[in-house]
Every structure is written in structure tokens, then in C-alpha cells.
Amino acid sequence: MKLWNDLLHLFFPRLCLLCDEPLVEGEKTLCLSCLYSLPRTHFHKRPFNPAEQLFAGKTPVTKATSYLYYEKGGKVQQLIYAIKYRGEKEAGFQMGKLAAAELYKEDFFEGIDLIIPVPLHPGRQRRRGYNQAECIARGIASVAHIPVDCRSLVRKRQTNTQTHKNVFERWTNVQDIFHVNTPQKLTGKHILLVDDVLTTGATIEACAQRINAIEGAHISILTLSIA
């Protein structure tokens, strides 16, 4: 089997998702050069970091962090686009693993009981074939050894994209679109909400408000990037 894979990679080499250079043994999805050039935020080392500030005075959050800086035209935008729209589920999983490996050393996951990826509307997920936030969440879970719950929190209706909306429009666009199916499962739990990009925080805030209404539940947040 290994011989067959070696021959396959010889004639059809695996390429880095960002620079299109052939990947060498041990590299997955990204080459080491691109991997180490990704702009990390290190927010988890900063008290009241910019991710936490987005939710201050809006909804209670135990802790929040984003792994990478998202800049228009940059490598992280290219990476997120590939994960979200080009079917690169494995890239989402690997980036979740990478983020978790760095945060794990800082005890970021201490006390967290459950990981919930921000849900897509079922219709949109059927068309796309997957939820990119779930791919990232499962990568995180493989390192943090925390179960992933994709059923308790659901999106009731489909909304228009948030991309070109201002802060107020983003907030009104996501009001009352989420529902908790099994609140008893989340009672007293510390839940980590996971998504790909944190912009204004409106979508995650809408999720957090539903979960925070459950007795004893509290929220932390981890996104792959922040814009």
C-alpha cells in the first residue's frame, strides 16, 4: 500500500494549498514555509484580548481567542476560502489540530466539557456537503479530547451572507435564527463555540445567547481567524 501511495505521489504530487509547491514527507495540506508564515495572534496569552472585547457588555463569555489574523488578500483569507468553498475539509481539520496543539500547552481547554461548531442551515450544508466549522471543531477535539456536539444547537432559518453587511445589519441578520434542541444536555456545561472567522461577533453572540439562557451553562469561544 505504501509503495502504491509513493508511486501515486510521484506522478500526482500533493501540493501546498497556498503556494502550490509539492509537499514533502510529513507535510499535510500546507508546506512548512507557508505554515510558519501564517500570522498568529497569540490572543490566548493576553488578558481581555480583542476577541474577548467583542463580547464585552453583550453576552457573558468565560474566554475567547482567535488563532490567526485574517487580512484581505492574505494567506489566511486564501486558506479560509479553500476550507469554506473549495471542499478542503481536511485543511479545516488540520488547522483545527494545529490551533489546538498550541492552545493545549497553555491549558486553554481546561474545564471545557463540550465543543459545539456554529451550525449552518441544513439546506446550505446539504449544498456545500459539510460545515467548515465542524471540520475545524473535529480537528480541535482530536487534540483536546473533548466531545463534539453537532445536534444540540441548530440554525432554524437560512440568512443572507454577512460579508457585505455593516455591524448593525450583521446583528439583525442573525437574531432568533438559532435554537437549542436539547437544553438538558447542556445544563451546567462549559461549552466551546467554534467557527472559522470572527468579524463583528454577531453570529457567535446569537449562538451564545441561546446557550447562556440554559441553567448553569457558560461559553468560551475559539475561531480559526479574526478579521
Side-chain angles (χ1 to χ4, degrees):
M1 189 65 179
K2 184 179 185 302
L3 177 61
W4 171 252
N5 286 334
D6 289 343
L7 287 171
L8 190 64
H9 293 154
L10 177 64
F11 292 103
F12 302 98
R14 297 173 299 122
L15 303 179
C16 174
L17 198 60
L18 297 180
C19 70
D20 288 330
E21 289 294 318
L23 297 176
V24 301
E25 186 70 27
E27 293 178 339
K28 292 183 177 180
T29 306
L30 303 181
C31 68
L32 286 178
S33 177
C34 286
L35 191 60
Y36 286 112
S37 70
L38 293 175
R40 290 156 173 80
T41 67
H42 301 292
F43 282 175
H44 59 287
K45 298 180 179 180
R46 295 167 54 181
F48 200 50
N49 65 62
E52 293 176 351
Q53 290 171 29
L54 278 175
F55 302 98
K58 298 176 182 177
T59 192
V61 169
T62 301
K63 51 189 169 184
T65 193
S66 299
Y67 182 50
L68 303 170
Y69 285 110
Y70 180 107
E71 295 180 351
K72 192 172 182 179
K75 286 186 174 182
V76 176
Q77 183 186 35
Q78 185 182 346
L79 179 62
I80 296 294
Y81 186 88
I83 293 170
K84 200 167 183 174
Y85 299 115
R86 286 175 43 200
E88 295 288 350
K89 295 185 286 185
E90 179 63 19
F93 182 85
Q94 292 298 332
M95 291 308 300
K97 282 184 66 175
L98 186 67
E102 295 191 24
L103 296 175
Y104 193 83
K105 293 180 288 188
E106 306 291 335
D107 295 326
F108 179 84
F109 301 104
E110 186 70 30
I112 292 173
D113 301 300
L114 208 57
I115 299 173
I116 295 183
V118 171
L120 290 177
H121 184 271
R124 180 166 291 172
Q125 184 161 337
R126 280 194 300 271
R127 289 192 297 273
R128 189 173 295 174
Y130 61 98
N131 176 3
Q132 73 279 357
E134 181 182 346
C135 299
I136 297 165
R138 294 202 180 279
I140 293 167
S142 71
V143 173
H145 307 296
I146 299 169
V148 176
D149 179 355
C150 296
R151 295 187 177 183
S152 292
L153 182 68
V154 296
R155 190 180 292 237
K156 296 187 295 183
R157 60 182 174 85
Q158 192 163 309
T159 55
N160 297 324
T161 178
Q162 299 274 71
T163 304
H164 302 295
K165 298 183 185 299
N166 61 35
V167 173
F168 180 73
E169 289 171 338
R170 286 172 183 258
W171 186 81
T172 56
N173 193 44
V174 296
Q175 290 307 293
D176 301 318
I177 69 169
F178 296 105
H179 172 72
V180 177
N181 272 333
T182 52
Q184 67 278 6
K185 186 176 178 180
L186 306 184
T187 300
K189 300 295 185 183
H190 185 177
I191 293 150
L192 181 67
L193 280 174
V194 169
D195 207 1
D196 53 352
V197 184
L198 180 60
T199 308
T200 64
T203 301
I204 291 183
E205 181 188 345
C207 293
Q209 286 175 345
R210 291 297 180 189
I211 296 171
N212 278 328
I214 298 168
E215 183 180 356
H218 49 294
I219 293 291
S220 286
I221 293 162
L222 170 56
T223 66
L224 188 55
S225 63
I226 185 169

